[in-house]
Amino acid sequence: MGDDIFEVARIQPDSADTVYGLVTLLHPELTPDGWAAFVRDHSQDGAQPSGVFALRDARGMPHALFGFRIARRITGGTTLEISEIAMMRLPGTCLVDALLRFANQLAAQLDLPRIAISLERSAAWPQDHDALQRCGFQIDRVMVLGRARLEPAA
């Protein structure tokens, strides 16, 4: 498989429905209106651009969706943060490789020195770890999620 299997397409609010089917694979509770609102709320240009992008095959079928934003670090500087929204699994590392190419291009375009990528635990297969390490990425932080207790304080 060659390097050009996937193309990157920025998802605009008026075309959010074109990738809704992929979103519902990981987030079945999300309504079309909820997804459209998410894309609208996370799409901006200017000094702090953010957005949603898809990795699509030659037929235009989306195989992965990611959000991106620019974050300011407490120690100074900025980082391109990319977070998985939904990703299908394919043999090998072609999706991760395409993601890394895009991340590096976007970071260079925005003149950002650092890239942080957040993947769903189920999407980070051993071969993906190897591909990320070959490109100079390493695990830097661990995120844990839990439900908030909405009980009144005693």
Side-chain angles (χ1 to χ4, degrees):
M1 294 190 172
D3 286 346
D4 299 320
I5 284 180
F6 295 103
E7 67 178 7
V8 174
R10 187 150 177 195
I11 304 303
Q12 300 296 335
D14 61 352
S15 64
D17 61 331
T18 63
V19 295
Y20 178 69
L22 179 56
V23 173
T24 61
L25 292 176
L26 191 61
H27 306 283
E29 72 287 354
L30 191 61
T31 66
D33 288 340
W35 170 241
F38 178 88
V39 173
R40 201 171 33 258
D41 293 347
H42 292 84
S43 296
Q44 67 180 32
D45 293 319
Q48 295 292 331
S50 64
V52 176
F53 67 91
L55 297 176
R56 301 187 310 195
D57 65 21
R59 300 168 298 162
M61 295 297 298
H63 288 258
L65 292 168
F66 296 90
F68 75 89
R69 70 184 191 101
I70 297 173
R72 298 217 176 274
R73 299 175 42 92
I74 194 168
T75 56
T78 52
T79 300
L80 173 62
E81 289 187 350
I82 296 178
S83 299
E84 177 189 345
I85 296 170
M87 184 163 68
M88 297 169 59
R89 293 305 312 171
L90 296 174
T93 61
C94 53
L95 271 173
V96 170
D97 293 341
L99 169 62
L100 292 172
R101 280 192 304 278
F102 169 72
N104 280 302
Q105 290 169 355
L106 184 58
Q109 177 185 342
L110 298 173
D111 197 27
L112 298 171
R114 295 175 51 95
I115 301 169
I117 299 174
S118 170
L119 299 172
E120 293 290 330
R121 187 174 63 181
S122 62
W125 288 13
Q127 68 264 24
D128 296 334
H129 288 273
D130 294 341
L132 290 164
Q133 286 178 342
R134 281 193 306 275
C135 290
F137 286 83
Q138 62 186 2
I139 293 176
D140 181 61
R141 302 175 65 93
V142 175
M143 178 187 289
V144 294
L145 299 174
R147 294 205 180 273
R149 294 188 193 147
L150 302 177
E151 303 164 358

